[in-house]
Each structure stands twice: as structure tokens, then as C-alpha cells.
């Protein structure tokens, strides 16, 4: 849901903290096994369970 | 709260929840102060620029977002790690060839040998590596093997034998192994191409962009440039698999600070799955990136973001690995805290079967962790890497990008600062800019 108000527009509803209570299954791709091998980004990996 | 500008918009990232906002000038100022002050304090601090009424309204919106759980100033507690976490290997970087037919001037692998003897992995060692992975992966079902080097296609027959062995044995363990292969594309003939396509192996192809840029840093062993043959081979290969399941990966250095032009060049060749990375190391070399380059590099990432959005608007987009920030379906908190997994989930294997925390530590004896035959025999090192999460890195805990880069590269950190717990400052700056661009792109796409 995106809602508008006078000063703030929500573009992305973050869920990072909400997932802190669940253990990481670590089924998603290891970042260095994708395209980089030298300067990892982890935030662009895709969750295998959603 | 991280407030930043992108293409005329004021955006705010809540680093802890990942919520992304577009705000006006007032809300941006309120959000900068909100975690640290009471509402009255915020109102007083902004009283010279904004009316108390307007500040109160903006504060009300912030508080509404807090009540919805979309903004949060408090980090969750550090996850606890069990013994099982320490030994569940998920991914192997198999160095099937410690040799290469190129002599790339920036090669962190010492032009293929990693400071060790040049040599090839034999089939028995490859099989042992697969056995090690299967028995060490605990409950994890999705496993990964990257064929790496040197140039892995110098040892193509063993690659095929390892894949066949893995395909035979992984189902017995209830595992799925996904293969990737990182290649300089010089040996991609018809037979190799057909095989990689038949097996649906994801391929990372190395090409730095324009001919002069590429050939300066990526010559053959005899010093001739590699661009002409490599670019032709890559185009043939990408066409053969319908433009899917590949990345063309370039490295930029101090010699091509205008690397967005190199991405544009790759795009003009017809390539659409792209990645570009800053060179690592090179102390004292003319290609080394330094802090003096930072203002230019920051502008260049903005130019790259413009190109990305322009091509998207024109209806013929390309994918850039680092801009592909999965803000909705991205990894969970536990993954974002623990980072790349080197030395724990992810290990590199030399041609002789020796284990290292990752490909960038190979050959450094202090980081030897055992072999695929004996298993991990350095429990202290494994524990050190498994606990090297965001909470142990003071610089990261202060950084807005911590849940996107997840603490950065352990090897960069170690090689820059002598510890895996202190990230390389220059690469942090570049990472922060990349994250801002990725989030900005996400914001523009969201509004569209």
C-alpha cells in the first residue's frame, strides 16, 4: 500500500526489521556466486522463500 | 534516517526497516532530527525555518509511520549463532584452473596462479569437493558451485566431469546444486557453448567496455589486446542462449573513471545483463583507485543511473547488477546481518583441494582452513568469520547502507586495514553511492 500525505510519501514499505525474529534459512544465493566476486552487494539477492 | 537527493527528489531511507520515503524539505529536516530529539526539540531546532504548525504536522506524519512499524530507530539485538551455523557450507568457489591465458594487469589472482604453482584441479579433487559440500551443508537445500580460476575453461573436461558427478550425487542428499562459471570468454567454442547451455550454467563473462579500455588492462599472455576476439565470442555466446542467464562484468580503474561510457558501449553492442566493479588493490600502480577519484566516481554513478533510467524509459532497458536492489523481495534480516558468508557458508577450493575463506584469500597461508578431504580444520578461523557480522563492525553500525552491503568484503577489509572487521573506506563510499542510486531508481520506478 502506498499512501499520500502532505509531507511524506511512502515509496517502499520496509520489512527488514520485521524479519529479524525469524532465523535466516540461508537458502538465497551467496553474493559472490553472482556477478561480482570483488565488491558484494547483499541487498540485491532474492529470497528463496517468498 | 538517511536523507538524500536523487534527480531533484528528496528521499529518505530508514536504515533499520528499509522503508523508503519521498519527502519535502521540512519532512527531510524533521526526519534527520526525529530519532535524536523530542517533538518539542525538533520544533525548536527548526523554528527559524518553519512554522511550529507545519513542523507539528510533519512530526504527526512521522509518528504515524512509526506506529505502523514503517520507521524504527532501534536496532534488533544481535542474532545468536549455533554450532550448526558454523559448519553449514552452502557454496564453493572451485578453482579448477590456477592458470590463465590472459595477463590482466589488475588481476588479484596474480594472473591466475594466486601466488601458488600454476596447475589444474583433477577429477578426484573435484569429486571430493562435491562430497565435502554435500556432507557439510546441513539442512540447506539450495547449494552453489562456481567454476573459477584463473580461466576455468582451460580445464573444461574436468568441469564436465564434476558437473556429472554432482548431478548424480546431489539428489541422493536431497540437494539442488546451481552452477555458475566465470570466464574470460577466450575459449568459448561451439562445443563449450552447447554444453553450458544444455546444463543451464549461469555464466559471468569478463569484458571491460571500450576496446582501448579493455586492451590496456586485459591483454593476452603475448601482450596483444583481447577485445576483438572476446567481444565477438561474448556476443555469439549471449545470442546462443537467447540473451538469458549471463552477466557481462567489467572492472573500472583509474584509467576509465568514465566507466558509464563503457557500460554504454556494452549496451550498444547489444548486451543487456551488465555489471561493473571498482578495481581492488594495486597499491602504487597507475590504475589504483584513490580518494582523489571519489568526486568523479560519484558523478559517474549518477551518469550511470541516468543511462539506466533513460534506457528504461525508451523501452529497451538493461539490467545492472548493483542497481537491481530487491527492496521488496530482498533477503531477510539474518542474511543482511551476516553478509557474504565467506569462511562460513562460502569457501574457495584450490586445485589441490585446499580450503580458504573465499577466492580473495587463496594462497594466504594464515587463512588456510583445511582441505576438501579432511574438512574444515581451523575452527577458530571459521568462528571468526562466522561472527564477523554487522554488529562487530563499528563503522558499519553507523552507516545507512549496512543492510544493503551487509558489511562489505572481508578480503578488502583485511587487505586495507589488517582486520576483517574494519571495511575499506573508499569502497564504502562507492557502495554508499551505489545504494543511493539503486534506491533512487527504485523510487522513480515506484512513482511511475
Amino acid at each position: 500500500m502506498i499512501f499520500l500525505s502532505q509531507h511524506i510519501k511512502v515509496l517502499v514499505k520496509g520489512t527488514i526489521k520485521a524479519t529479524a525474529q525469524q532465523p535466516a534459512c540461508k537458502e538465497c544465493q551467496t553474493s559472490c556466486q553472482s556477478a561480482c566476486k570483488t565488491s558484494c552487494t547483499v541487498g540485491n539477492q532474492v529470497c528463496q522463500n517468498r | 534516517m538517511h536523507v538524500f537527493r536523487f534527480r531533484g527528489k528528496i528521499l529518505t531511507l530508514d536504515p533499520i526497516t528499509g522503508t523508503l520515503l519521498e519527502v519535502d524539505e521540512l519532512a527531510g529536516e524533521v526526519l534527520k532530527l526525529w530519532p535524536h530529539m523530542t517533538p518539542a526539540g525538533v520544533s525548536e531546532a527548526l523554528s527559524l525555518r518553519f512554522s511550529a504548525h507545519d513542523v507539528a504536522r510533519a512530526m504527526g506524519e512521522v509518528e504515524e509511520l512509526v506506529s505502523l512499524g514503517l520507521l524504527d530507530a532501534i536496532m534488533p539485538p544481535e542474532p545468536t549463532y549455533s554450532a550448526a551455523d558454523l559448519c553449514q557450507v552452502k557454496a564453493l568457489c572451485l578453482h579448477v584452473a590456477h592458470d590463465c591465458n590472459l595477463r590482466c594487469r589488475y588481476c588479484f589472482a596474480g594472473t591466475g596462479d594466486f601466488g601458488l604453482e600454476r596447475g589444474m584441479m583433477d577429477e578426484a579433487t573435484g569429486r571430493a569437493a562435491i562430497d565435502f559440500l554435500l556432507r557439510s551443508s546441513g539442512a540447506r537445500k539450495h547449494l552453489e558451485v562456481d567454476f573459477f580460476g584463473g580461466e576455468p575453461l582451460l580445464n573444461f573436461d574436468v568441469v564436465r566431469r564434476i558437473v556429472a558427478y554432482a548431478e548424480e550425487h546431489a539428489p541422493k542428499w536431497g540437494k539442488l546444486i546451481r552452477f555458475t562459471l566465470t570466464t574470460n570468454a577466450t575459449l568459448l567454442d561451439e562445443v563449450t557453448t552447447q554444453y553450458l547451455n544444455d546444463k543451464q550454467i549461469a555464466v559471468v563473462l569478463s569484458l571491460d567496455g571500450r576496446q582501448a579500455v579493455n586492451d590496456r588492462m586485459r591483454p593476452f599472455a603475448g601482450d596483444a589486446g583481447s577485445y576483438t576476439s572476446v567481444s565477438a565470442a561474448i556476443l555469439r555466446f549471449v545470442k546462443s542462449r537467447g540473451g538469458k542467464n549471463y552477466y557481462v562484468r567489467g572492472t573500472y580503474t583509474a584509467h576509465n573513471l568514465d566507466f558509464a561510457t563503457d557500460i554504454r558501449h556494452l549496451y550498444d553492442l547489444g548486451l543487456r545483463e551488465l555489471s561493473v566493479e571498482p578495481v581492488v588493490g594495486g597499491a602504487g600502480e597507475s590504475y589504483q583507485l584513490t580518494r582523489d577519484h571519489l568526486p568523479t566516481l560519484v558523478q559517474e554513478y549518477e551518469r550511470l543511473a541516468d543511462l539506466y533510467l533513460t534506457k528504461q524509459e525508451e523501452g529497451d532497458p538493461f539490467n545492472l547488477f548493483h542497481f537491481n536492489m530487491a527492496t521488496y523481495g530482498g533477503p531477510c534480516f539474518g542474511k543482511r546481518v551476516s553478509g557474504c558468508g565467506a569462511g562460513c557458508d562460502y569457501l574457495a577450493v584450490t586445485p589441490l583441494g585446499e580450503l580458504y575463506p573465499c577466492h580473495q584469500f587463496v594462497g594466504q597461508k594464515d587463512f588456510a582452513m583445511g582441505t576438501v578431504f579432511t574438512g574444515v580444520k581451523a575452527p577458530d578461523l571459521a568462528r571468526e568469520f562466522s561472527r564477523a557480522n554487522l554488529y562487530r563492525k563499528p563503522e558499519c553500525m553507523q552507516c545507512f547502507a549496512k543492510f544493503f552491503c551487509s558489511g562489505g568484503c572481508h578480503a578488502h577489509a583485511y587487505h586495507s586495514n589488517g582486520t576483517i572487521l574494519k571495511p575499506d573506506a573508499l569502497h564504502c563510499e562507492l557502495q554508499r553511492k551505489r545504494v543511493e542510486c539503486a534506491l533512487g531508481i527504485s523510487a522513480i520506478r515506484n512513482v511511475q
Side-chain angles (χ1 to χ4, degrees):
Chain A
M1 180 182 67
I2 296 172
F3 53 89
L4 303 173
S5 52
Q6 194 168 350
H7 299 284
I8 300 174
K9 186 190 296 181
V10 179
L11 300 176
V12 174
K13 294 171 75 172
T15 59
I16 296 173
K17 187 170 181 179
T19 60
Q21 286 151 11
Q22 65 194 49
C25 69
K26 300 281 189 80
E27 294 288 354
C28 56
Q29 189 176 32
T30 303
S31 51
C32 260
Q33 298 291 74
S34 43
C36 65
K37 288 284 186 191
T38 56
S39 62
C40 290
T41 299
V42 172
N44 58 359
Q45 304 301 325
V46 177
C47 177
Q48 291 281 341
N49 288 323
R50 269 186 254 176
Chain B
M1 295 296 135
H2 178 63
V3 182
F4 64 103
R5 290 178 183 271
F6 183 81
R7 281 191 153 194
K9 294 180 183 295
I10 306 175
L11 303 175
T12 300
L13 171 73
D14 175 357
I16 294 177
T17 64
T19 292
L20 182 64
L21 310 171
E22 183 178 351
V23 300
D24 63 12
E25 197 87 35
L26 165 58
E29 295 302 318
V30 168
L31 282 161
K32 283 182 200 170
L33 299 174
W34 159 72
H36 315 291
M37 288 186 180
T38 62
V42 172
S43 186
E44 186 179 339
L46 298 177
S47 61
L48 292 179
R49 295 176 58 197
F50 303 101
S51 74
H53 174 74
D54 286 345
V55 173
R57 286 196 64 148
M59 270 304 300
E61 292 181 26
V62 170
E63 284 166 357
E64 186 183 348
L65 295 177
V66 173
S67 71
L68 292 169
L70 294 177
L71 297 181
D72 199 323
I74 301 169
M75 277 283 280
E78 180 182 354
T80 54
Y81 292 95
S82 67
D85 287 319
L86 296 178
C87 56
Q88 288 196 351
V89 181
K90 171 183 171 53
L92 292 181
C93 180
L94 279 191
H95 292 222
V96 290
H98 268 189
D99 202 353
C100 190
N101 51 352
L102 294 187
R103 291 293 180 265
C104 302
R105 304 194 198 290
Y106 49 50
C107 184
F108 66 78
T111 68
D113 62 9
F114 287 82
L116 305 170
E117 282 186 35
R118 292 187 185 271
M120 301 291 156
M121 182 178 284
D122 62 22
E123 182 183 352
T125 304
R127 285 179 173 227
I130 297 299
D131 290 340
F132 167 74
L133 176 62
L134 292 173
R135 72 171 181 265
S136 306
S137 51
R140 287 175 192 161
K141 183 176 180 184
H142 296 90
L143 309 180
E144 297 150 20
V145 171
D146 184 35
F147 294 107
F148 197 63
E151 170 47 48
L153 293 181
L154 285 170
N155 200 10
F156 178 53
D157 188 48
V158 165
V159 169
R160 284 199 294 200
R161 290 169 188 270
I162 293 171
V163 170
Y165 184 79
E167 285 178 338
E168 182 186 348
H169 289 271
K172 298 175 190 170
W173 291 74
K175 309 285 185 181
L176 296 170
I177 301 182
R178 182 164 48 189
F179 295 99
T180 55
L181 184 140
T182 302
T183 178
N184 62 27
T186 55
L187 301 171
L188 277 176
D189 58 20
E190 276 187 37
V191 172
T192 313
T193 296
Q194 188 66 49
Y195 173 80
L196 294 170
N197 291 345
D198 288 347
K199 295 295 180 186
Q200 298 181 22
I201 294 175
V203 176
V204 179
L205 304 142
S206 299
L207 180 65
D208 285 353
R210 292 163 288 179
Q211 179 163 8
V213 169
N214 184 83
D215 286 353
R216 180 171 190 168
M217 298 306 288
R218 301 183 63 81
F220 281 101
D223 218 31
S226 61
Y227 174 90
T228 301
S229 59
V230 165
S231 58
I234 287 176
L235 290 172
R236 276 196 306 273
F237 179 75
V238 169
K239 187 179 178 185
S240 77
R241 53 174 52 198
K244 307 283 187 201
N245 206 19
Y246 77 95
Y247 266 104
V248 172
R249 178 208 182 284
T251 298
Y252 70 80
T253 74
H255 296 316
N256 63 318
L257 299 174
D258 58 343
F259 59 84
T261 305
D262 291 292
I263 287 289
R264 175 60 196 253
H265 177 81
L266 297 174
Y267 178 91
D268 288 342
L269 288 177
L271 302 166
R272 294 292 181 270
E273 303 292 326
L274 306 173
S275 181
V276 62
E277 311 289 334
V279 71
V280 295
E285 300 287 345
S286 61
Y287 65 78
Q288 184 190 17
L289 295 172
T290 69
R291 293 195 72 81
D292 292 342
H293 298 129
L294 202 50
T296 306
L297 295 173
V298 163
Q299 283 186 350
E300 199 60 12
Y301 275 112
E302 290 173 3
R303 225 162 64 84
L304 189 52
D306 281 341
L307 176 66
Y308 184 95
L309 287 166
T310 298
K311 293 302 172 189
Q312 194 165 63
E313 288 157 10
E314 290 174 357
D316 192 5
F318 65 95
N319 182 28
L320 193 78
F321 179 67
H322 289 291
F323 285 173
N324 184 25
M325 203 64 80
T327 39
Y328 286 107
C332 63
F333 175 84
K335 172 76 171 185
R336 291 176 192 262
V337 166
S338 57
C340 72
C344 182
D345 310 332
Y346 170 63
L347 298 171
V349 184
T350 70
L352 296 176
E354 301 152 309
L355 296 169
Y356 286 89
C358 81
H359 52 289
Q360 294 206 51
F361 284 108
V362 164
Q364 298 175 53
K365 293 301 179 192
D366 288 347
F367 289 93
M369 297 188 75
T371 73
V372 293
F373 307 103
T374 64
V376 172
K377 292 295 180 188
D380 291 346
L381 201 54
R383 192 175 299 109
E384 182 183 344
F385 273 89
S386 71
R387 291 181 176 169
N389 65 40
L390 288 177
Y391 289 81
R392 309 297 171 99
K393 301 179 179 183
E395 285 91 348
C396 296
M397 290 298 276
Q398 303 302 317
C399 176
F400 77 85
K402 57 180 168 289
F403 285 141
F404 294 91
C405 89
S406 298
C409 171
H410 292 321
H412 284 188
Y414 180 77
H415 294 139
S416 296
N417 299 313
T419 167
I420 62 173
L421 299 178
K422 185 177 173 59
D424 177 82
L426 174 62
H427 284 266
C428 286
E429 295 283 1
L430 297 175
Q431 182 67 267
R432 279 191 277 271
K433 187 62 192 177
R434 284 198 314 224
V435 170
E436 282 189 355
C437 289
L439 293 172
I441 286 168
S442 175
I444 300 273
R445 293 168 76 167
N446 206 313
V447 170
Q448 287 171 341

